[in-house]
Amino acid sequence: MKRILAYRFSAFGDVAMTVPVCVEFLEQNPDVEIVFVSRDNFKDLFDKHPRLKFHGVSFDDYKGIFGIRKLTKQLIRQFNPDYVADLHDVIRTKMINSIFFRHGFKVYQIDKGKDDKERLTDVWNLDKFQLKRTVERYADVFRRMGFKLELSHQLRPEIVNKKDIGFAPFAQHKGKMMPEEKSFELAKILAKTHKVYFFGGGKEENEILTKWESQIPNTYSLSGKLSLKEELKKISELKVMICMDSANMHLASLMGTRCISVWGSTHHFAGFLGYGQSEDDIVHVKDLSCRPCSVFGDKECFRGDYACLEEINIQNIIDKV
């Protein structure tokens, strides 16, 4: 049995995107196991295949250069992998890679396509086109090891009789979120014909969604009330999840749930559409030449008015439901 040690430490949605790739890889390569190293709190994402093992770490225990060296040597002693896959490519993983390399291990690193993404998000560049999907970039790491891997890009529902709607109106950055009043109005309309569950996290989001729950009949806020495992189970039961370009889209993909995704300053051309999700379920303002201006939604609006989100028509979302 060959062993691959793979790691990616953040962000949450990007880590979730690795799971369907790992699962399909293991199905197509029955003589291999993957040990996936990531943050402790991501553990419940990785229970999809018996040969997909999870090793959680807390970086409070591995600070600075000496901490990285300590972590890497522990990984070598505990797992002694045949291959090492860096699915993150940040300073921390480059340091880990160099230690593995010095100990004679084969290290394979993701190509993030940074130059292409920089060109894509240049507001003066009008020649926009689809870049390689992130999941294919993950898959390429395994392919360069010499393994075969064909991704299906299909959802795998865990439950047959799905019902109700999930709605996650928030994201990490302003450039990814519809205005609050639009999201509230959308929830009000949807709740007339469907049971709607709100998803969120953090004190401020919990307070807003609890308030919405009290104002809109037939809605239920789950924000801050569920463990990750419980949240994943609930998402697996939903007929559809509505969210921004956020981790919730990738959790829906992981659980085989259709997702209607809303995009503002970001764009699916950068490669981050949820695994198995349809481009027909994307809602965005198509005729803004400045989109996308950001890969992650963390830049200030070039125009200053966030037209990419202010001009979203919620009827387009309702029609797709």
Side-chain angles (χ1 to χ4, degrees), residues 28-83:
Q28 295 173 38
N29 296 274
D31 57 343
V32 187
E33 72 171 11
I34 294 175
V35 176
F36 203 102
V37 186
S38 195
R39 296 180 184 272
D40 282 326
N41 52 321
F42 297 164
K43 179 178 186 294
D44 288 328
L45 299 174
F46 289 87
D47 62 353
K48 301 294 179 190
H49 195 283
R51 282 183 283 112
L52 178 57
K53 320 286 187 184
F54 181 78
H55 181 77
V57 297
S58 169
F59 283 106
D60 290 339
D61 301 329
Y62 302 102
K63 291 181 178 176
I65 295 172
F66 294 107
I68 293 298
R69 187 180 299 165
K70 175 185 170 186
L71 170 61
T72 310
K73 288 185 174 179
Q74 284 178 356
L75 294 173
I76 290 171
R77 281 196 306 271
Q78 187 169 350
F79 299 111
N80 190 30
D82 298 286
Y83 304 89

Side-chain angles (χ1 to χ4, degrees), residues 163-169 186-187 190 194-200 220 222 234-235 237-244 248 252 257-260 317 321:
K163 60 179 183 177
D164 306 326
I165 292 174
F167 183 29
L186 174 62
L190 292 172
H194 299 81
K195 191 181 288 187
V196 178
Y197 291 94
F198 296 135
F199 291 81
Y220 305 87
L222 302 177
K234 187 62 194 176
I235 291 172
E237 298 168 354
L238 297 171
K239 180 178 80 170
V240 64
M241 169 68 91
I242 300 170
C243 65
M244 310 301 112
N248 290 283
T257 294
R258 176 184 167 229
C259 180
I260 298 170
I317 303 171
V321 172

